[in-house]
Amino acid sequence: MGAVYFYHLTRQPLERTLPVLLGKARQAGWRVAVRGTDTARMNWLDEQLWLGPEDGFLAHGIAGGPHDADQPILLTTDRAANAPDCMMTIDGADIEPAEVTALERACILFDGNDPAAVQRAREQWKSLTAAGCAAQYWSEDSGRWEKKAEH
């Protein structure tokens, strides 16, 4: 049974934090899906991942191509076709309790400087923990990631 980790971004933007988490997930041998809510935003994220350092390149693709099932990291706004071990959601994208329990890990990344994003994350925390999902809340407020809560 998987757990969901909430990442409260306050110091580093998504385009800096996400590659670090994706790298750790890939080092664990996991296939990853990154689920967002907007196709244009996923295209932007794809461009950001291409700008990373060569020695840290994260092989990935955008959903809708002929090789979605083969992608080690798949950027999507829908269900993941790459049978992920880990799902990372951004921009308030939905994730169901059944998905969390079927994964090794789910990660919800949210912008701590956006009150609507913080409220959405709180709603997701309540909903997922009420459904029995194990959860951890991580904050970077101190300058490094610290676990602040666990359910």
Side-chain angles (χ1 to χ4, degrees):
M1 179 171 169
V4 59
Y5 287 31
F6 287 75
Y7 290 95
H8 189 164
L9 309 179
T10 54
R11 292 182 175 252
Q12 296 292 323
L14 175 68
E15 63 269 22
R16 303 228 11 245
T17 303
L18 183 62
V20 172
L21 293 174
L22 288 171
K24 290 181 183 287
R26 291 298 298 142
Q27 286 174 351
W30 296 342
R31 287 179 157 300
V32 183
V34 178
R35 182 183 292 159
T37 59
D38 179 70
T39 302
R41 175 93 155 139
M42 300 312 284
N43 288 331
W44 171 83
L45 190 54
D46 172 52
E47 291 174 15
Q48 296 302 306
L49 291 174
W50 280 105
L51 296 174
E54 275 188 45
D55 62 346
F57 176 70
L58 296 164
H60 68 281
I62 294 183
H67 304 290
D68 286 359
D70 300 324
Q71 296 296 339
I73 299 171
L74 184 65
L75 309 178
T76 184
T77 58
D78 201 1
R79 298 280 176 211
N82 66 334
D85 303 293
C86 177
M87 171 78 67
M88 297 188 185
T89 67
I90 62 168
D91 301 334
D94 288 329
I95 186 163
E96 298 297 322
E99 289 178 294
V100 172
T101 58
L103 296 163
E104 293 290 328
R105 177 152 320 143
C107 302
I108 295 175
L109 288 75
F110 63 100
D111 182 350
N113 300 307
D114 177 351
V118 172
Q119 181 58 36
R120 173 71 176 136
R122 285 182 179 139
E123 292 166 1
Q124 289 179 301
W125 175 277
K126 289 177 185 174
S127 158
L128 292 169
T129 57
C133 295
Q136 293 183 7
Y137 166 73
W138 291 80
S139 171
E140 64 175 346
D141 256 354
S142 70
R144 63 184 198 86
W145 287 104
E146 294 179 346
K147 182 169 52 170
K148 298 287 190 168
E150 188 166 9
H151 181 274

